[in-house]
Amino acid sequence: MNTSDLRAIFRDSPLYGSDQRFRRRVDLRLAREQKFVSMRLFNLDIEVTNLCNLACRTCYNPPTQKQTMSVKQFGHILVQAHELINHLHWDGLWLTISGGEPLMNEHLWEMLRLARASSGVKGIAIITNGTLIDKEKAELIESLGIEEVMVSLDGAGKNTHDSIRGRGSFVRTMAGVEALVRHAPGTFLGSTLTLTSLNLGEIKAYVELVFDLGGNYAWINPPLYCGRIVSSQLSIPYEEHLRVMKLARQLDTRYFRQAFSVYYNIPYYPLTDPISPYLDLSTSCPWGRNNLTVTSDGSVLPCLYSRDLRLGNVLEQSLFALYESPMLKGFRDGSLLAEPCRSCSYWEFCGGCRARTYYLTGNWMAADPWCPLVQGSSEPELRVFPSAVMSGT
């Protein structure tokens, strides 16, 4: 569905004139989607620190040695990123700033100003736990024109959230979200939840909470078997993953006319689309395609979850040369993918989750064990046709 269709659906709604929160959601969503439709953007995740004020049981990046990026290093990475997009002949960069907790880097605001002043940077997103955001920081985010902020929530209430992220964290995160809603109204606001055995029963309530808070979307991440989640024993079985994947689609269609989206962060989530798979590529795997991650020490990864695959270091090597590594090229053209992924009609859009595949099989290019098609499901049985789609509720 293109932005013209969305504009017609949302702006013709009576809610657009009467509901300020709905109008904000619509305008921010259309502005964001138009940017991605009109330009070919490369997403670069930059982890500006590995320090964090929490010790979440689901963390995929627990620090083994404290590391914080300097402004000079950040500037060098921007230069390398611009050279990369020039080589690729793409239109610009979408920067995702993360950590650790990015607000733990005292130079964060200087880095953001540097990025904002760069003509090649077309958008900036921040991933944060929200606990350090107050009125002053939210106003800074608004004044810098930060396009998107994603706040981590691991439950629909304090009991579940705090059992994963630490006592008192839920209240502080809620305060941060409230500050963003009030003082950064021009920011596309979303939330991300890591799916665990503790919050499996709270998905509907979590989505409702994010919607009621004034968010634009709720993002659900199935767990990856790296970092602290391995020792925390919070993983879920395949059957629950499949159930929640379908539930996410049901919720997405239910909230669609409210200009609110629900995503399940797995490359084959589009198979649940009731119209046609891969019309929406929001969750397609960007691994080494239109995405790279730079860690706080300059190491380059194909994605933020692929902690065991360091391609090199951008502070010492060309980012374009690392992007052109034989493994990434072999993934992009499909030649290194194992069957049945290599022959799948969706490999070019999907490719499977390479990080999850590695942590489950030990092979970066094996068939993704959590793909329903690999598991033997047929496409028709994966489609979700909730009655809410027809009723428009």
Side-chain angles (χ1 to χ4, degrees), residues 69-248:
M69 188 177 291
S70 69
V71 176
K72 182 178 179 180
Q73 290 170 330
F74 184 84
H76 176 80
I77 292 166
L78 284 183
V79 170
Q80 286 289 312
H82 288 313
E83 292 180 2
L84 170 64
I85 61 171
N86 287 337
H87 278 292
L88 298 176
H89 303 291
W90 287 19
D91 298 311
L93 291 167
W94 181 275
L95 293 184
T96 300
I97 307 299
S98 64
E101 169 50 52
L103 275 76
M104 293 287 286
N105 188 324
E106 61 180 349
H107 304 298
L108 173 65
W109 307 107
E110 187 177 353
M111 292 174 174
L112 292 175
R113 290 187 184 96
L114 185 63
R116 189 82 288 172
S118 172
S119 61
V121 175
K122 307 302 182 183
I124 303 174
I126 299 173
I127 301 176
T128 173
N129 61 43
T131 61
L132 300 178
I133 295 178
D134 54 18
K135 177 178 180 291
E136 179 185 4
K137 292 184 178 66
E139 288 176 343
L140 272 172
I141 287 170
E142 181 76 2
S143 68
L144 287 167
I146 302 304
E147 280 79 3
E148 182 174 356
V149 175
M150 179 183 282
V151 179
S152 299
L153 269 174
D154 278 337
K158 68 176 183 179
N159 289 340
T160 302
H161 180 91
D162 286 5
S163 70
I164 296 171
R165 292 186 164 260
R167 185 176 180 181
S169 59
F170 183 79
V171 171
R172 286 181 285 154
T173 296
M174 290 296 98
V177 171
E178 183 178 354
L180 288 166
V181 171
R182 289 189 176 188
H183 304 293
T187 300
F188 195 72
L189 178 63
S191 173
T192 175
L193 171 144
T194 298
L195 193 61
T196 69
S197 56
L198 297 178
N199 56 29
L200 269 174
E202 298 185 9
I203 302 306
K204 290 182 181 179
Y206 158 71
V207 170
E208 184 177 356
L209 172 64
V210 179
F211 176 81
D212 289 343
L213 287 170
N216 291 84
Y217 64 89
W219 194 275
I220 301 165
N221 288 301
L224 280 137
Y225 302 99
C226 60
R228 291 198 187 105
I229 201 166
V230 177
S231 58
S232 297
Q233 298 183 328
L234 297 178
S235 59
I236 63 170
Y238 168 80
E239 291 74 20
E240 289 295 337
H241 144 69
L242 187 61
R243 179 185 68 82
V244 177
M245 184 172 76
K246 292 182 177 182
L247 174 60

Side-chain angles (χ1 to χ4, degrees), residues 354-387:
R354 294 298 100 205
R356 176 171 288 100
T357 297
Y358 171 76
Y359 291 119
L360 290 174
T361 69
N363 181 349
W364 291 104
M365 296 297 160
D368 187 334
W370 269 27
C371 173
L373 300 182
V374 173
Q375 289 283 336
S377 296
S378 66
E379 288 189 42
E381 67 184 291
L382 296 172
R383 303 284 174 85
V384 174
F385 294 90
S387 58

Side-chain angles (χ1 to χ4, degrees), residues 42 55 60 91 117 177 197 204 242 286 288 296 306 313 328 350 382 388:
F42 191 95
Y60 59 84
D91 298 311
V177 171
S197 56
K204 290 182 181 179
L242 187 61
S296 53
S306 299
N313 194 297
L328 296 191
C350 171
L382 296 172

Side-chain angles (χ1 to χ4, degrees), residues 3 8 10 32 112 125 156 170 207 247 268 289 291 330 335 359 377:
T3 52
F10 293 139
R32 186 182 188 278
L112 292 175
F170 183 79
V207 170
L247 174 60
Y268 24 85
R289 289 169 165 165
N291 177 92
S335 62
Y359 291 119
S377 296

